Amino acid sequence: MTTVPEIRASFARQKDVEYSITSIGPKDLTITKENEKIVVSFAYDKEIEILKPVYLLIKFEGRSN
């Protein structure tokens, strides 16, 4: 995989197989090139209602090596 569309398509196929991926989609990926290596990263927030008006905010982020 060398192009952004190929990487996004690969993620979409993986998401179709692994139904537990629900918080992000292929368009949410940030794809960059660092030192001739392709780096895929993502970040998103999840709010969990504890007791109105109190919410727990969890910030997720990750990236490939």
Coordinates of all heavy atoms in Angstrom, one line a residue:
M1 N 0.8 -1.2 0.0 CA 0.0 0.0 0.0 C 0.9 1.2 0.0 O 1.7 1.4 0.9 CB -0.9 0.0 1.2 CG -2.0 -1.0 1.3 SD -3.0 -0.9 2.7 CE -1.8 -1.6 3.9
T2 N 0.6 2.1 -1.0 CA 1.5 3.3 -1.0 C 0.7 4.6 -1.2 O 1.2 5.6 -1.0 CB 2.5 3.2 -2.2 OG1 1.8 3.0 -3.4 CG2 3.5 2.0 -2.0
T3 N -0.6 4.5 -1.5 CA -1.4 5.7 -1.7 C -2.4 5.8 -0.6 O -2.8 4.9 0.1 CB -2.1 5.7 -3.0 OG1 -3.1 4.7 -3.0 CG2 -1.1 5.5 -4.2
V4 N -2.8 7.1 -0.4 CA -3.8 7.3 0.7 C -5.1 6.6 0.4 O -5.6 5.9 1.3 CB -4.0 8.9 0.8 CG1 -5.2 9.2 1.7 CG2 -2.8 9.6 1.3
P5 N -5.6 6.6 -0.8 CA -6.9 5.8 -1.1 C -6.7 4.3 -0.8 O -7.6 3.7 -0.3 CB -7.2 6.1 -2.6 CG -6.5 7.4 -2.9 CD -5.3 7.4 -2.0
E6 N -5.5 3.8 -1.1 CA -5.3 2.3 -0.8 C -5.3 2.1 0.7 O -5.9 1.0 1.1 CB -4.0 1.9 -1.4 CG -4.0 1.8 -2.9 CD -2.6 1.4 -3.4 OE1 -1.6 1.8 -2.8 OE2 -2.5 0.8 -4.5
I7 N -4.7 2.9 1.5 CA -4.7 2.8 2.9 C -6.1 2.9 3.5 O -6.5 2.1 4.3 CB -3.7 3.8 3.6 CG1 -2.3 3.5 3.1 CG2 -3.9 3.8 5.1 CD1 -1.3 4.5 3.5
R8 N -6.9 3.9 3.0 CA -8.2 4.0 3.5 C -9.1 2.8 3.1 O -9.9 2.4 3.9 CB -8.8 5.3 2.9 CG -8.2 6.6 3.5 CD -9.0 7.8 3.1 NE -8.2 9.0 3.3 CZ -8.0 9.6 4.5 NH1 -8.5 9.1 5.6 NH2 -7.3 10.7 4.6
A9 N -8.9 2.3 1.9 CA -9.7 1.2 1.4 C -9.4 -0.1 2.3 O -10.2 -0.9 2.6 CB -9.4 0.9 0.0
S10 N -8.1 -0.2 2.6 CA -7.7 -1.4 3.4 C -8.3 -1.3 4.8 O -8.7 -2.3 5.4 CB -6.1 -1.4 3.5 OG -5.7 -2.4 4.4
F11 N -8.3 -0.1 5.4 CA -8.9 0.1 6.7 C -10.4 -0.2 6.6 O -11.0 -0.8 7.5 CB -8.7 1.5 7.2 CG -9.4 1.8 8.5 CD1 -8.7 1.4 9.7 CD2 -10.6 2.4 8.7 CE1 -9.3 1.6 10.9 CE2 -11.2 2.6 9.9 CZ -10.6 2.2 11.0
A12 N -11.1 0.3 5.5 CA -12.5 0.0 5.4 C -12.8 -1.5 5.3 O -13.8 -2.0 5.9 CB -13.0 0.7 4.1
R13 N -11.9 -2.3 4.6 CA -12.1 -3.7 4.5 C -11.9 -4.3 5.9 O -12.7 -5.2 6.3 CB -11.1 -4.3 3.5 CG -11.5 -4.1 2.1 CD -10.6 -4.9 1.2 NE -9.2 -4.6 1.2 CZ -8.6 -3.7 0.6 NH1 -9.3 -2.9 -0.2 NH2 -7.3 -3.5 0.7
Q14 N -10.9 -3.9 6.7 CA -10.7 -4.4 8.0 C -11.9 -4.1 8.9 O -12.3 -4.9 9.7 CB -9.4 -3.8 8.6 CG -9.1 -4.3 10.0 CD -8.8 -5.8 10.1 OE1 -8.3 -6.3 9.1 NE2 -9.2 -6.4 11.2
K15 N -12.4 -2.9 8.8 CA -13.6 -2.5 9.6 C -14.8 -3.3 9.2 O -15.6 -3.7 10.1 CB -13.9 -1.0 9.3 CG -14.9 -0.5 10.2 CD -15.1 1.0 10.0 CE -16.2 1.5 11.0 NZ -16.9 2.6 10.7
D16 N -15.0 -3.7 8.0 CA -16.1 -4.6 7.6 C -16.0 -6.0 8.2 O -17.0 -6.6 8.5 CB -16.1 -4.7 6.1 CG -16.6 -3.5 5.4 OD1 -17.2 -2.6 6.1 OD2 -16.4 -3.4 4.2
V17 N -14.7 -6.5 8.4 CA -14.5 -7.8 9.0 C -14.6 -7.7 10.5 O -15.2 -8.6 11.1 CB -13.1 -8.3 8.6 CG1 -12.8 -9.6 9.3 CG2 -13.1 -8.5 7.1
E18 N -14.0 -6.7 11.1 CA -14.0 -6.6 12.6 C -15.1 -5.5 13.0 O -14.8 -4.4 13.0 CB -12.6 -6.1 13.0 CG -12.4 -6.1 14.5 CD -11.0 -5.8 14.9 OE1 -10.1 -6.2 14.2 OE2 -10.9 -5.1 15.9
Y19 N -16.2 -6.0 13.3 CA -17.4 -5.2 13.6 C -17.2 -4.3 14.9 O -18.0 -3.4 15.1 CB -18.6 -6.0 13.8 CG -19.0 -6.8 12.5 CD1 -18.9 -8.1 12.4 CD2 -19.4 -6.1 11.4 CE1 -19.2 -8.8 11.2 CE2 -19.7 -6.7 10.2 CZ -19.6 -8.1 10.1 OH -19.9 -8.7 9.0
S20 N -16.2 -4.6 15.7 CA -16.0 -3.8 16.9 C -15.5 -2.4 16.6 O -15.5 -1.5 17.5 CB -15.1 -4.5 17.9 OG -13.8 -4.6 17.3
I21 N -15.0 -2.1 15.4 CA -14.6 -0.8 15.1 C -15.8 0.1 14.7 O -16.3 -0.1 13.6 CB -13.5 -0.8 13.9 CG1 -12.3 -1.7 14.3 CG2 -13.1 0.6 13.6 CD1 -11.4 -1.9 13.1
T22 N -16.2 0.9 15.6 CA -17.4 1.7 15.3 C -17.2 3.2 15.5 O -18.0 4.0 15.0 CB -18.6 1.3 16.3 OG1 -18.1 1.5 17.6 CG2 -19.0 -0.1 16.1
S23 N -16.1 3.6 16.2 CA -15.9 5.0 16.5 C -15.3 5.8 15.4 O -15.4 7.1 15.4 CB -15.1 5.1 17.8 OG -15.8 4.5 18.8
I24 N -14.5 5.2 14.5 CA -13.8 5.9 13.4 C -14.0 5.2 12.1 O -14.3 4.0 12.1 CB -12.3 6.1 13.7 CG1 -11.6 4.7 13.8 CG2 -12.1 6.9 15.0 CD1 -10.1 4.9 13.8
G25 N -13.9 6.0 11.1 CA -14.0 5.4 9.7 C -12.7 5.8 8.9 O -11.8 6.5 9.4
P26 N -12.7 5.3 7.7 CA -11.5 5.6 6.8 C -11.2 7.1 6.7 O -10.0 7.5 6.6 CB -11.9 5.0 5.5 CG -12.9 3.9 5.8 CD -13.7 4.5 7.0
K27 N -12.2 7.9 6.6 CA -12.0 9.4 6.5 C -11.4 10.0 7.7 O -10.9 11.1 7.7 CB -13.3 10.1 6.1 CG -13.7 9.7 4.7 CD -15.0 10.4 4.3 CE -15.4 10.0 2.9 NZ -16.6 10.7 2.4
D28 N -11.5 9.3 8.9 CA -10.9 9.9 10.1 C -9.4 9.6 10.3 O -8.9 10.2 11.2 CB -11.7 9.2 11.3 CG -13.2 9.6 11.3 OD1 -13.5 10.7 11.0 OD2 -14.0 8.6 11.6
L29 N -8.9 8.9 9.4 CA -7.4 8.6 9.5 C -6.6 9.8 9.0 O -7.0 10.4 8.0 CB -7.1 7.3 8.7 CG -7.8 6.0 9.1 CD1 -7.4 4.9 8.1 CD2 -7.5 5.7 10.5
T30 N -5.5 10.1 9.7 CA -4.6 11.1 9.2 C -3.4 10.3 8.7 O -2.8 9.5 9.4 CB -4.1 12.0 10.3 OG1 -5.3 12.6 10.9 CG2 -3.1 13.0 9.8
I31 N -3.1 10.5 7.4 CA -2.0 9.7 6.7 C -0.9 10.6 6.3 O -1.2 11.5 5.5 CB -2.6 8.9 5.6 CG1 -3.7 8.0 6.1 CG2 -1.5 8.1 4.9 CD1 -4.6 7.4 5.0
T32 N 0.3 10.4 6.8 CA 1.4 11.3 6.5 C 2.6 10.4 6.1 O 2.6 9.2 6.3 CB 1.8 12.2 7.7 OG1 2.1 11.4 8.8 CG2 0.6 13.1 8.0
K33 N 3.7 11.1 5.7 CA 4.9 10.4 5.4 C 6.0 11.1 6.3 O 6.2 12.3 6.2 CB 5.2 10.5 3.9 CG 6.2 9.5 3.4 CD 6.3 9.6 1.9 CE 6.7 8.3 1.4 NZ 6.8 8.2 -0.1
E34 N 6.7 10.2 7.0 CA 7.8 10.7 7.9 C 9.0 9.8 7.6 O 9.0 8.6 7.8 CB 7.4 10.6 9.3 CG 6.2 11.5 9.7 CD 5.8 11.3 11.2 OE1 6.5 10.7 11.9 OE2 4.7 11.8 11.5
N35 N 10.1 10.4 7.2 CA 11.4 9.7 6.9 C 11.1 8.6 6.0 O 11.6 7.4 6.2 CB 12.0 9.2 8.2 CG 12.4 10.3 9.1 OD1 12.8 11.4 8.7 ND2 12.2 10.1 10.4
E36 N 10.4 8.8 4.9 CA 10.1 7.8 3.8 C 9.2 6.7 4.3 O 9.1 5.7 3.7 CB 11.4 7.3 3.2 CG 12.2 8.3 2.5 CD 11.5 9.1 1.4 OE1 10.8 8.4 0.6 OE2 11.6 10.3 1.4
K37 N 8.6 6.8 5.5 CA 7.7 5.8 6.0 C 6.3 6.4 6.1 O 6.1 7.6 6.5 CB 8.1 5.4 7.4 CG 9.3 4.5 7.5 CD 9.7 4.2 8.9 CE 9.3 2.8 9.2 NZ 9.7 2.4 10.6
I38 N 5.3 5.6 5.8 CA 3.9 6.1 5.9 C 3.4 5.9 7.3 O 3.6 4.8 7.9 CB 3.0 5.3 4.9 CG1 3.4 5.6 3.5 CG2 1.5 5.6 5.1 CD1 2.7 4.8 2.4
V39 N 2.9 6.9 7.9 CA 2.4 6.9 9.2 C 0.9 7.2 9.2 O 0.4 8.1 8.6 CB 3.1 8.0 10.1 CG1 2.5 8.0 11.5 CG2 4.6 7.8 10.1
V40 N 0.1 6.3 9.8 CA -1.3 6.4 9.9 C -1.6 6.7 11.4 O -1.2 6.0 12.3 CB -2.0 5.1 9.5 CG1 -3.5 5.3 9.6 CG2 -1.6 4.7 8.1
S41 N -2.4 7.8 11.6 CA -2.8 8.1 13.0 C -4.3 8.5 13.0 O -4.9 8.7 12.0 CB -1.9 9.3 13.5 OG -2.1 10.4 12.7
F42 N -4.8 8.5 14.3 CA -6.2 8.8 14.5 C -6.3 9.4 15.9 O -5.5 9.2 16.8 CB -7.1 7.6 14.4 CG -6.8 6.6 15.4 CD1 -7.6 6.6 16.6 CD2 -5.9 5.6 15.3 CE1 -7.4 5.7 17.6 CE2 -5.7 4.6 16.3 CZ -6.4 4.7 17.5
A43 N -7.4 10.1 16.1 CA -7.7 10.7 17.4 C -9.2 11.0 17.4 O -9.8 11.4 16.4 CB -6.9 12.0 17.6
Y44 N -9.8 10.6 18.5 CA -11.3 10.9 18.7 C -11.6 11.0 20.2 O -10.8 10.5 21.0 CB -12.1 9.9 18.0 CG -12.1 8.5 18.5 CD1 -13.0 8.1 19.4 CD2 -11.1 7.6 18.0 CE1 -13.0 6.8 19.9 CE2 -11.1 6.3 18.5 CZ -12.0 5.9 19.4 OH -11.9 4.6 19.9
D45 N -12.7 11.6 20.5 CA -13.2 11.7 21.9 C -14.5 10.8 22.0 O -15.2 10.7 21.1 CB -13.6 13.1 22.2 CG -12.4 14.1 22.1 OD1 -11.2 13.6 22.2 OD2 -12.6 15.3 22.1
K46 N -14.7 10.3 23.2 CA -15.9 9.6 23.5 C -16.4 10.1 24.9 O -15.7 10.2 25.9 CB -15.6 8.1 23.6 CG -16.8 7.3 24.0 CD -16.7 5.9 23.7 CE -17.9 5.1 24.0 NZ -18.8 4.9 22.9
E47 N -17.7 10.5 24.9 CA -18.3 11.0 26.1 C -19.2 9.9 26.6 O -20.0 9.3 25.9 CB -19.2 12.2 25.8 CG -18.4 13.5 25.6 CD -19.3 14.7 25.5 OE1 -20.6 14.5 25.6 OE2 -18.8 15.8 25.3
I48 N -19.1 9.7 27.9 CA -20.0 8.7 28.6 C -20.7 9.4 29.7 O -20.1 10.1 30.6 CB -19.1 7.6 29.2 CG1 -18.4 6.9 28.1 CG2 -20.0 6.6 30.0 CD1 -17.4 5.9 28.6
E49 N -22.1 9.4 29.6 CA -22.9 10.0 30.6 C -22.8 9.2 31.9 O -23.1 8.1 31.9 CB -24.3 10.1 30.1 CG -25.2 10.9 31.1 CD -26.6 11.0 30.6 OE1 -26.9 10.9 29.4 OE2 -27.5 11.1 31.5
I50 N -22.4 9.9 33.0 CA -22.4 9.3 34.3 C -23.7 9.6 35.0 O -24.4 8.6 35.4 CB -21.2 9.7 35.1 CG1 -19.9 9.3 34.4 CG2 -21.2 9.2 36.5 CD1 -18.6 9.7 35.0
L51 N -24.0 10.8 35.2 CA -25.2 11.3 35.8 C -25.4 12.7 35.4 O -24.5 13.5 35.6 CB -25.1 11.2 37.4 CG -26.2 11.5 38.2 CD1 -27.4 10.6 38.0 CD2 -25.9 11.5 39.7
K52 N -26.5 13.0 34.7 CA -26.7 14.3 34.2 C -26.5 15.3 35.2 O -27.0 15.2 36.3 CB -28.1 14.5 33.5 CG -28.2 13.8 32.2 CD -29.5 14.2 31.5 CE -29.5 13.5 30.2 NZ -30.6 13.8 29.4
P53 N -25.8 16.4 35.0 CA -25.0 16.8 33.9 C -23.6 16.4 33.9 O -22.7 17.1 33.3 CB -25.2 18.3 33.9 CG -25.1 18.6 35.4 CD -25.8 17.4 36.1
V54 N -23.2 15.3 34.5 CA -21.8 14.9 34.6 C -21.5 13.9 33.5 O -22.2 12.9 33.4 CB -21.5 14.4 36.0 CG1 -20.1 13.9 36.1 CG2 -21.8 15.4 37.0
Y55 N -20.4 14.1 32.8 CA -20.0 13.2 31.7 C -18.5 12.9 31.9 O -17.7 13.7 32.4 CB -20.1 13.8 30.3 CG -21.6 14.0 29.9 CD1 -22.3 15.1 30.3 CD2 -22.2 13.0 29.1 CE1 -23.6 15.2 29.9 CE2 -23.5 13.2 28.7 CZ -24.2 14.3 29.1 OH -25.5 14.4 28.7
L56 N -18.1 11.7 31.5 CA -16.7 11.3 31.5 C -16.3 11.4 30.0 O -16.9 10.9 29.1 CB -16.6 9.8 31.9 CG -15.2 9.2 31.8 CD1 -14.2 9.9 32.7 CD2 -15.3 7.7 32.1
L57 N -15.2 12.2 29.8 CA -14.6 12.4 28.5 C -13.4 11.6 28.4 O -12.4 11.7 29.2 CB -14.3 13.9 28.3 CG -13.6 14.2 27.0 CD1 -14.5 13.8 25.7 CD2 -13.2 15.7 26.9
I58 N -13.3 10.7 27.4 CA -12.2 9.9 27.1 C -11.6 10.2 25.8 O -12.3 10.3 24.8 CB -12.5 8.4 27.1 CG1 -13.1 8.0 28.5 CG2 -11.3 7.5 26.8 CD1 -13.7 6.6 28.5
K59 N -10.3 10.5 25.7 CA -9.6 10.9 24.5 C -8.8 9.8 24.0 O -7.9 9.3 24.8 CB -8.8 12.2 24.7 CG -9.6 13.4 25.0 CD -8.7 14.6 25.1 CE -9.5 15.9 25.2 NZ -9.8 16.4 23.9
F60 N -9.0 9.3 22.8 CA -8.3 8.2 22.2 C -7.4 8.8 21.1 O -7.8 9.6 20.4 CB -9.2 7.2 21.6 CG -10.1 6.4 22.5 CD1 -11.3 6.8 22.8 CD2 -9.6 5.2 23.1 CE1 -12.1 6.1 23.7 CE2 -10.4 4.5 24.0 CZ -11.6 4.9 24.3
E61 N -6.2 8.2 21.0 CA -5.3 8.6 19.9 C -4.3 7.4 19.7 O -4.0 6.7 20.7 CB -4.7 9.9 20.0 CG -3.7 10.1 21.2 CD -3.1 11.5 21.2 OE1 -3.8 12.4 21.2 OE2 -1.9 11.5 21.3
G62 N -3.9 7.3 18.5 CA -2.9 6.2 18.2 C -2.3 6.5 16.9 O -2.7 7.3 16.1
R63 N -1.2 5.8 16.6 CA -0.5 5.9 15.3 C 0.3 4.7 15.1 O 0.7 4.0 16.0 CB 0.4 7.2 15.3 CG 1.5 7.2 16.3 CD 2.3 8.5 16.3 NE 3.4 8.4 15.3 CZ 3.9 9.4 14.7 NH1 3.3 10.6 14.8 NH2 4.9 9.3 13.8
S64 N 0.6 4.5 13.8 CA 1.5 3.3 13.4 C 2.9 3.7 13.7 O 3.3 4.8 13.9 CB 1.2 3.0 12.0 OG 1.7 4.1 11.2
N65 N 3.7 2.7 13.7 CA 5.2 2.9 14.0 C 5.9 3.1 12.7 O 5.6 2.7 11.7 CB 5.8 1.7 14.7 CG 5.3 1.5 16.1 OD1 4.9 2.5 16.7 ND2 5.2 0.3 16.6

